[in-house]
Amino acid sequence: LERDSHMYRKVKNFFYTSMLYRKKKHRVNIIKSIKRITHPVYYNRKFWAYTSVVIDRHVTCDSKFGLRLTSRLLWHSTGSIDPESIISLDDVKFNPTKTLWARAITCSCDAAHAATTAYENKLTGVKKMLLCLVTVGLPLTCGPNPHIMAPINNRTELPVAYKYINKEEKEVSVNYDSIMGCHQGSWIYALPDGCSMLPAFVVEWKEK
């Protein structure tokens, strides 16, 4: 993106909402570039198909749920994997990992939280992470809980809802699509399926 473009300024401002910009009159996190991501048509269809099924599943249960479903712009870090190598593939895949809540894909509301596990080029010191449009659906808000699990995904029955198991080990039927919890002062979303995420931007920056 051009630095004087409206989109660049919007993403930049969102990044610096939680990332430290200046310390004693010196810049400490300097954005090198912001790249907009384009996807193959079929991947866009996968994301919107997921979103459509989420909405339909709730609307058929209770029409009020349709008004509460949400999509959000969230930060996602890829650890030791260059995010550009992921989005350059024909089929973008985000694999669930072990988290504080379940095996899931995690996204953060705060760039500062996601930056702690962002990809870093060891030669240049430049870091990268993704800003994604995420269909969180109807989230369940709770603290870290190992008893919340995502069942094995069945592509013919997208999306998969989480199941909550209480202390008595009795399964409780619930109607939510993601988990929202607080970790180190930041709100985190745990998602069961990568189809819920549409990467929109790659932000590159360097710490001074």
Side-chain angles (χ1 to χ4, degrees):
L1 297 177
E2 297 293 334
R3 289 183 177 271
D4 59 349
S5 69
H6 175 73
M7 189 65 69
Y8 183 97
R9 291 196 300 269
K10 294 283 284 187
V11 176
K12 174 185 174 181
N13 291 340
F14 190 38
F15 178 82
Y16 284 126
T17 297
S18 59
M19 292 290 284
L20 188 62
Y21 182 55
R22 290 185 182 275
K23 186 176 183 180
K24 295 182 180 179
K25 298 183 179 180
H26 297 287
R27 291 194 295 172
V28 291
N29 288 297
I30 301 175
I31 293 178
K32 295 294 185 180
S33 69
I34 298 174
K35 301 176 183 178
R36 189 167 186 171
I37 302 168
T38 56
H39 297 284
V41 173
Y42 82 93
Y43 185 77
N44 284 313
R45 287 174 178 169
K46 284 170 61 177
F47 171 77
W48 293 113
Y50 180 98
T51 303
S52 177
V53 174
V54 168
I55 293 172
D56 289 344
R57 183 160 63 83
H58 288 294
V59 170
T60 54
C61 296
D62 187 339
S63 60
K64 295 181 181 178
F65 280 128
L67 301 177
R68 298 166 58 189
L69 296 175
T70 56
S71 291
R72 301 199 59 172
L73 279 172
L74 300 173
W75 298 98
H76 177 69
S77 56
T78 55
S80 60
I81 303 173
D82 188 335
E84 293 195 67
S85 68
I86 297 175
I87 61 178
S88 65
L89 300 175
D90 291 336
D91 189 7
V92 182
K93 291 184 178 180
F94 296 98
N95 297 317
T97 57
K98 186 176 181 180
T99 71
L100 295 174
W101 293 272
R103 284 194 62 82
I105 303 160
T106 56
C107 293
S108 176
C109 293
D110 297 336
H113 185 276
T116 59
T117 54
Y119 169 79
E120 181 179 2
N121 186 312
K122 300 301 182 183
L123 297 177
T124 63
V126 173
K127 295 185 177 183
K128 301 179 186 179
M129 64 181 171
L130 297 170
L131 181 59
C132 305
L133 178 63
V134 181
T135 297
V136 299
L138 194 62
L140 172 71
T141 303
C142 68
N145 188 334
H147 297 296
I148 295 179
M149 300 183 298
I152 296 174
N153 191 3
N154 183 339
R155 294 284 175 179
T156 61
E157 298 180 0
L158 282 177
V160 172
Y162 279 105
K163 293 181 179 179
Y164 174 72
I165 300 179
N166 59 21
K167 294 180 180 179
E168 290 75 30
E169 300 297 323
K170 295 180 180 179
E171 187 175 301
V172 180
S173 178
V174 292
N175 200 28
Y176 55 95
D177 310 288
S178 61
I179 300 166
M180 183 175 68
C182 189
H183 180 243
Q184 297 178 347
S186 298
W187 286 106
I188 309 298
Y189 283 90
L191 308 153
D193 196 291
C195 290
S196 62
M197 300 167 58
L198 187 67
F201 302 95
V202 178
V203 178
E204 297 184 5
W205 81 100
K206 190 172 183 177
E207 297 178 354
K208 291 290 186 178

